[in-house]
Amino acid sequence: MIRTGLLALALSTTAVAAIAADQNTADPWLWLEEIEGNKALGWVKAENAEADALLLGSEGYEADRARARAILDDDRQIAMPGTVMGGQITNFWRDANNPRGIWRQSPLDAWLAGKPEWTTLIDVDALGKAEGKSWVWHGADCLAPDYRRCLVSLSPGGTDADVVREWDRTTKSFVEGGFTLPEAKSSVTWEDADTLLVATDFGEGSMTASGYPRIVKRWKRGTPLASAKTLVEGQADDVGMGVYGVMDGDNRWTLISRNKSFYTSDYYLPAAKGGAYVKAAIPDTADLRALLDGQAIIFLNKDFAGHGQGALISMPLAELAAGRKPAVTPVMTPTKAQAIEEVATSDHLLWVKALDDVEGKLFALRRDPATGEWSQQAVPVADNATVKIAGTVGARDLALVTAETMIAPPTLYAVDAAKGAKPKVVQSLPAAFDAAGMSVEKRFATSRDGTKIPYFLVRKAGATGPVPALVHAYGGFRAAQTPGYLTGQPYRAGPLGLFWVEDGNAYVLANIRGGGEYGPRWHDAALREKRQNSFDDLHAVAEDLVETGVSAKGKIAISGRSNGGVLVGAAMTQRPDLYGAVISGSPLKDMKRYNKLLAGASWVAEYGDPDNPDDWAFMSQYSPYQNIRKGITYPPIFLYLSTKDDRVHPGHARKFAARLKEYGNRVYYHEHLEGGHSVGADHAEDAVRAAMLHAFLKRELVDSE
């Protein structure tokens, strides 16, 4: 959700002044919002040391850490496709020898045959060592059709902010005197070989209240950034501006999006080469997902022109670029049980990955050039699996698709929609554990208002009697949670789910409202004043585990990251009787101040505005930090985060931990100095986190029996 070394990430003068002004309020822990403040960092170091002392020496910790590192660094992992660049395909790879990773390329045919021939393009570890920077890879945008010149984005320590530098794929070097953007939360793409579209920090007044760029400019090669010409300008209360290039066959379009809120955007298309950009007649609640055959493929989050929310429609690009309101053509309308989740294109096909009761389905759609109508066909990949579109090979009309379950490792397929063609295995991950004694079930719990909530349960086959359970959920921002191989469950916790099930316990992935499991309506059902529905859904899943004998009250741990931090924070304060432990990563906790901290203002459309009394009336009922009460014993919590998180402010977790401890509750706290919002800049840190979380769960739910 919620996207060098040890240089201070200092608070702005305005933010420091705001904290100082609020010091007289009833919150005695406000000083912990000073991210790099000496007192705050001293508190962090003391808390880290306390958690380390409790967990790092516990039985099994070192074995878990070593095994997690081996799994994460396994060089048998799938070489996931990056960008197809003519006859080459790129990949970003991390392993034990390359902890920060290498960007590399292979001939496409060799890669498709499962025998890639890799050539290193950029070695991030070597680059960081040579430049004395703690670089984290943020990707590369290479200009079609020759893909020679690339815009490489590198983050210092893993923050959302990054540095952008021009790089030459033929010489494998940065371009001397080429395009360079200093560290900022930027959006940049090629308009042509000598021109960029740039949204970045241009100076005072150029950023939104959410901390993202407000202005898009055209920057010509050989001129200073200060001379770039403004194309589109947003408002200070927008979320921010974005620019990107999209291919339609051999044609490359540059687009501008003005993101007015998290869920409303205006799109701008070029009226003519090198000219102005025109606002397109696309509803601002819709998402422009792809371009194909001269058509804009648009996903509807709200009903529009007689087409229901959750559907795909198309509009002619030429008409949109001319500023006209074109005719609308239906592309795909999902069933009630389905949700369109991913859209991609090859030269002649539109590929759609949909969820069907949270199980992945793949479809290929084709436009009839004579009638303009779209037809679709289901393309079998794997039954009862999570399916994801990893990329396409345009000229060959292939979709690159992965399929996996909680106990079956991922397989990458090259999928041809031709009649009778079977998916071809490109690479399959070997089993990382023995799944013969495990079982996976899809179940449904009944929430407070009667809504059926799906969840996936994995445990030892034939298990009887209640066992400790770990439930992971998210419930926000239209982000569906789909079951993946246990070596990566829960998200950003490494193989914790695997360790937990091997211990004889139960792992659960809950598909609560607020996500996108059943399309926009599933999200709308937990938006703003309806947020309690997502908490009720989580309670319902936990209660179903108790009622069906899977687990017991006080033996259920809940896990959530980012927005999931609001979820588990509210859940533990509402039902301390139900849960026995809590894991909360990079979390939001203080919903009274979240809109004043880092990117928080961009999420007002999701949660509400706490400065509006009407909104605070419902937000105050669940805001985790404000709902901690004296005299109540809450389940022990493990909070993990990064000092360098420039999306969700570290103050949320710090203050929540401090308040809980102030009232006599058990808290385990671990704040990494690097890693950004994802926490952990490399696999070494990820392995430590997985082992610590496992030690925490055993200590609180197993050893305490």
Side-chain angles (χ1 to χ4, degrees):
M1 168 192 98
I2 309 179
R3 215 192 111 132
T4 73
L6 305 179
L7 290 176
L9 195 159
L11 287 172
S12 69
T13 302
T14 301
V16 172
I19 290 174
D22 281 345
Q23 290 287 6
N24 294 325
T25 68
D27 186 356
W29 301 109
L30 202 63
W31 55 272
L32 287 171
E33 291 181 9
E34 296 182 35
I35 298 176
E36 299 283 356
N38 290 333
K39 183 179 178 182
L41 287 181
W43 179 92
V44 167
K45 291 175 182 177
E47 292 298 316
N48 282 353
E50 185 176 312
D52 288 352
L54 289 172
L55 300 177
L56 299 192
S58 59
E59 183 179 355
Y61 167 81
E62 181 53 32
D64 283 346
R65 187 207 60 77
R67 186 182 177 201
R69 180 71 185 271
I71 289 171
L72 293 168
D73 281 341
D74 192 339
D75 60 10
R76 299 174 299 170
Q77 63 188 284
I78 292 176
M80 296 298 290
T83 303
V84 175
M85 301 181 181
Q88 301 283 320
I89 188 167
T90 63
N91 161 261
F92 187 72
W93 180 266
R94 292 198 301 171
D95 60 20
N97 296 322
N98 305 280
R100 293 297 173 94
I102 54 174
W103 185 44
R104 58 188 187 172
Q105 66 182 22
S106 166
L108 176 61
D109 287 334
W111 181 85
L112 285 169
K115 299 178 180 179
E117 301 165 5
W118 295 114
T119 299
T120 296
L121 297 174
I122 294 179
D123 183 328
V124 180
D125 294 276
L127 179 66
K129 184 177 181 180
E131 297 183 345
K133 300 287 187 180
S134 182
W135 290 131
V136 174
W137 181 255
H138 270 194
D141 175 14
C142 301
L143 179 62
D146 60 4
Y147 300 98
R148 176 183 175 183
R149 292 296 176 91
C150 306
L151 298 172
V152 170
S153 298
L154 296 162
S155 163
T159 61
D160 284 356
D162 51 29
V163 173
V164 181
R165 298 157 69 181
E166 186 177 3
W167 189 83
D168 190 310
R169 194 166 65 96
T170 57
T171 64
K172 298 182 178 61
S173 63
F174 289 103
V175 177
E176 186 175 351
F179 288 114
T180 301
L181 285 176
E183 182 182 345
K185 291 184 178 180
S186 302
S187 181
V188 57
T189 194
W190 299 97
E191 192 171 41
D192 59 42
D194 294 311
T195 315
L196 301 184
L197 296 184
V198 179
T200 191
D201 187 348
F202 294 107
E204 186 177 355
S206 69
M207 304 293 277
T208 67
S210 298
Y212 296 101
R214 187 180 64 81
I215 302 168
V216 175
K217 297 187 179 186
R218 177 181 283 131
W219 185 18
K220 293 286 188 178
R221 184 181 297 280
T223 65
L225 180 60
S227 69
K229 304 300 182 183
T230 297
L231 291 173
V232 180
E233 194 166 350
Q235 301 298 318
D237 59 355
D238 288 354
V239 170
M241 305 292 284
V243 298
Y244 46 103
V246 183
M247 299 300 294
D248 178 9
D250 293 331
N251 298 317
R252 185 177 185 275
W253 287 74
T254 49
L255 309 174
I256 297 173
S257 64
R258 177 193 166 197
N259 306 307
K260 299 182 293 186
S261 75
F262 210 88
Y263 302 115
T264 56
S265 299
D266 292 334
Y267 294 95
Y268 295 80
L269 280 67
K273 184 177 180 180
Y277 278 69
V278 175
K279 181 180 173 182
I282 297 172
D284 67 358
T285 56
D287 299 327
L288 178 55
R289 291 288 188 92
L291 308 180
L292 181 64
D293 197 22
Q295 304 291 307
I297 310 301
I298 297 162
F299 179 81
L300 298 180
N301 292 296
K302 302 290 183 183
D303 295 349
F304 174 71
H307 303 280
Q309 68 172 174
L312 286 176
I313 61 171
S314 65
M315 293 182 181
L317 278 165
E319 294 290 298
L320 291 170
R324 292 189 284 267
K325 188 175 181 180
V328 174
T329 301
V331 176
M332 181 175 178
T333 302
T335 68
K336 187 176 181 180
Q338 291 178 338
I340 293 171
E341 190 176 31
E342 297 172 351
V343 176
T345 60
S346 51
D347 282 3
H348 306 97
L349 293 174
L350 179 69
W351 297 91
V352 175
K353 175 277 188 85
L355 296 176
D356 195 327
D357 269 336
V358 205
E359 294 176 8
K361 307 291 182 185
L362 184 67
F363 298 88
L365 294 89
R366 189 184 300 270
R367 182 174 178 267
D368 186 325
T371 66
E373 295 182 351
W374 295 82
S375 60
Q376 74 179 54
Q377 67 178 92
V379 182
V381 179
D383 294 331
N384 305 318
T386 291
V387 173
K388 295 181 180 179
I389 300 175
T392 61
V393 182
R396 305 188 193 188
D397 277 327
L398 296 177
L400 305 173
V401 178
T402 60
E404 64 185 299
T405 73
M406 284 179 156
I407 58 176
T411 295
L412 176 64
Y413 298 95
V415 180
D416 190 332
K419 187 175 181 179
K422 293 184 178 180
K424 179 185 176 182
V425 175
V426 176
Q427 189 179 353
S428 185
L429 187 71
F433 59 91
D434 182 4
M438 298 180 184
S439 68
V440 179
E441 303 171 60
K442 182 171 69 176
R443 294 182 168 193
F444 291 84
T446 302
S447 194
R448 185 178 183 179
D449 63 1
T451 302
K452 298 296 183 182
I453 309 301
Y455 68 90
F456 291 83
L457 166 66
V458 58
R459 54 181 173 165
K460 292 286 185 69
T464 58
V467 297
L470 170 61
V471 182
H472 183 74
Y474 185 74
F477 293 93
R478 299 175 180 158
Q481 303 299 292
T482 51
Y485 199 44
L486 281 181
T487 54
Q489 294 284 319
Y491 177 66
R492 298 300 301 157
L496 173 62
L498 169 62
F499 295 168
W500 192 239
V501 174
E502 286 182 336
D503 289 345
N505 305 312
Y507 175 69
V508 171
L509 182 68
N511 304 111
I512 66 176
R513 284 174 288 182
E517 286 84 348
Y518 291 96
R521 67 181 177 88
W522 202 245
H523 171 251
D524 291 348
L527 197 60
R528 288 174 47 84
E529 69 275 9
K530 294 175 282 190
R531 203 75 189 176
Q532 185 60 43
N533 283 336
S534 68
F535 312 145
D536 289 343
D537 293 353
L538 182 61
H539 300 327
V541 170
E543 288 170 335
D544 197 63
L545 295 175
V546 175
E547 291 171 6
T548 56
V550 173
S551 192
K553 279 189 176 183
K555 289 298 178 183
I556 300 172
I558 49 176
S559 163
R561 273 185 44 84
S562 193
N563 165 77
V566 180
L567 170 71
V568 297
M572 68 180 280
T573 55
Q574 291 179 4
R575 292 294 307 275
D577 63 306
L578 185 55
Y579 306 112
V582 180
I583 295 172
S584 190
S586 304
L588 279 83
K589 298 295 185 186
D590 184 351
M591 302 308 289
K592 181 63 176 174
R593 286 183 50 78
Y594 86 94
N595 61 327
K596 300 175 176 65
L597 302 173
L598 297 178
S602 64
W603 312 319
V604 167
E606 177 79 11
Y607 301 116
D609 181 357
D611 295 329
N612 180 326
D614 291 337
D615 286 5
W616 181 242
F618 59 79
M619 297 175 70
S620 64
Q621 299 302 305
Y622 71 79
S623 179
Y625 185 56
Q626 281 75 24
N627 279 281
I628 301 172
R629 302 286 182 252
K630 287 183 179 180
I632 296 178
T633 300
Y634 295 103
I637 185 171
F638 190 117
L639 292 145
Y640 69 87
L641 62 148
S642 167
T643 307
K644 295 296 185 186
D645 190 340
D646 53 353
R647 194 181 314 176
V648 176
H649 197 291
H652 286 281
R654 292 175 179 180
K655 295 196 302 179
F656 196 69
R659 176 61 55 82
L660 282 169
K661 293 188 76 172
E662 177 189 359
Y663 293 168
N665 294 279
R666 288 202 302 283
V667 174
Y668 300 71
Y669 186 93
H670 199 271
E671 183 173 323
H672 293 262
L673 293 178
E674 290 191 317
H677 186 60
S678 294
V679 186
D682 54 39
H683 288 164
E685 293 181 359
D686 294 342
V688 167
R689 182 167 57 258
M692 290 186 77
L693 292 174
H694 189 208
F696 162 72
L697 290 178
K698 289 192 297 182
R699 179 182 175 91
E700 294 298 341
L701 295 185
V702 179
D703 297 344
S704 60
E705 290 181 348

